[in-house]
Amino acid sequence: MSEKAQKPLVPAATILMLRDGEQGLEVFMVVRHHQIDFASGALVFPGGKLAPGDVLPDVRPLCDGADDLDDELLALRVAAIREAFEESGVLLARDESGALIDGKRLLSLEADRPLLDKGALPIADFLTREKLHLACDLLEPYAHWVTPKMMPKRFDTHFYLAIAPSDHVAMHDGSEGVDSVWISPAQALEEAKVGKRTVIFPTRMNLEQLAESKTVAEAFDAAKARTIVTVEPQVEDRDGTMMLTIPAAAGYSVTEITMDSI
């Protein structure tokens, strides 16, 4: 594909919703519907592209932790929280008391998930009506991946860590996500290895990195200590073998891999 024919990058955000389970760190993941045109049938973290309402100026006053973020970075956090609500039912938002909403309040907002997903309800209108503020300050930047140039659809995706409130019941939406699971990173990787799950390369790399932490606190500490390096995989032809490479500085276990093994 020529430079002129390359698809534009679509800004997107993905959220790794974490909790401490009985056996250690767990992350919430969804199985994408087989008819979705990107990563269909794959086990993924909730997320998606920015919606028009995420970038409007009237959203900023409704976000906690917005002061140190430019408009682009704030919109990405808004998208991450919105997508988490749409795809998992978990909403990182505070009420007028300054406390995170509880499970009972969350249940009363269930009917708004599909409206937000379809764009029928802009996020600012939703927050204003419910007198809520998004808890953007609770997101921890984790990774930044850009889809390779040869792909027909390209995303510029920022990954964030978040802690799931203990009384929020996470559940897939039944539309984009057809199944969901709280799972340890190690188990997700093992199930992908034996063919039980489909896990795409960026997800696998971030699961491997997450598996280095045993608790939520360890995962957050590791993320805060890590310098995020943008990963845009490159494809090289080495004597007839197509190789995919990523920057060593990004800190993943793999820096190159054959395309047929992805």
Side-chain angles (χ1 to χ4, degrees):
M1 183 180 293
S2 69
E3 291 293 325
K4 290 183 179 181
Q6 285 176 20
K7 296 291 184 180
L9 286 173
V10 177
T14 293
I15 194 161
L16 283 66
M17 196 71 68
L18 307 180
R19 72 179 186 185
D20 287 318
E22 292 183 2
Q23 304 301 319
L25 176 67
E26 294 179 340
V27 60
F28 184 78
M29 303 187 74
V30 298
V31 178
R32 290 178 66 83
H33 195 286
H34 70 278
Q35 293 181 341
I36 296 291
D37 60 357
F38 178 76
S40 62
L43 187 67
V44 299
F45 310 117
K49 62 184 180 181
L50 268 64
D54 299 337
V55 302
L56 296 179
D58 55 352
V59 177
R60 179 174 284 274
L62 303 171
C63 297
D64 294 338
D67 292 346
D68 296 329
L69 300 172
D70 63 26
D71 291 344
E72 180 182 3
L73 291 178
L74 178 61
L76 287 164
R77 294 197 186 206
V78 171
I81 294 175
R82 176 184 53 75
E83 287 284 345
F85 180 47
E86 292 172 11
E87 294 192 15
S88 74
V90 173
L91 179 59
L92 299 176
R94 297 185 175 97
D95 61 21
E96 291 180 288
S97 74
L100 288 174
I101 62 171
D102 59 21
K104 182 178 180 180
R105 178 72 187 282
L106 179 67
L107 188 61
S108 73
L109 304 173
E110 180 67 20
D112 291 311
R113 287 173 67 186
L115 297 178
L116 286 163
D117 180 47
K118 292 180 174 62
L121 177 62
I123 187 69
D125 291 356
F126 166 70
L127 296 171
T128 300
R129 187 197 74 199
E130 296 296 329
K131 299 180 180 179
L132 298 175
H133 273 212
L134 294 183
C136 295
D137 54 314
L138 297 185
L139 300 189
E140 183 63 38
Y142 190 69
H144 180 205
W145 282 67
V146 176
T147 309
K149 290 182 174 62
M150 78 285 191
M151 300 297 290
K153 180 172 286 190
R154 301 186 66 214
F155 296 94
D156 184 349
T157 306
H158 290 253
F159 293 72
Y160 297 92
L161 297 185
I163 301 173
S166 59
D167 63 345
H168 286 206
V169 178
M171 179 64 68
H172 56 280
D173 62 4
S175 176
E176 291 187 22
V178 295
D179 196 6
S180 58
V181 63
W182 281 102
I183 193 169
S184 73
Q187 182 180 349
L189 291 166
E190 179 60 27
E191 291 185 2
K193 183 179 179 180
V194 300
K196 184 177 179 180
R197 304 277 190 185
T198 298
V199 177
I200 61 175
F201 182 66
T203 305
R204 190 166 86 238
M205 291 297 96
N206 284 299
L207 280 170
E208 286 187 5
Q209 198 166 68
L210 192 61
E212 296 173 4
S213 299
K214 303 303 180 186
T215 65
V216 170
E218 284 185 16
F220 269 77
D221 287 344
K224 290 174 182 177
R226 185 183 304 119
T227 298
I228 295 176
V229 174
T230 299
V231 177
E232 182 179 343
Q234 305 294 318
V235 178
E236 301 176 8
D237 185 345
R238 298 183 184 173
D239 298 324
T241 299
M242 302 305 293
M243 301 291 297
L244 183 140
T245 66
I246 63 175
Y252 293 100
S253 62
V254 170
T255 58
E256 60 181 35
I257 188 170
T258 60
M259 289 292 291
D260 59 9
S261 63
I262 294 177

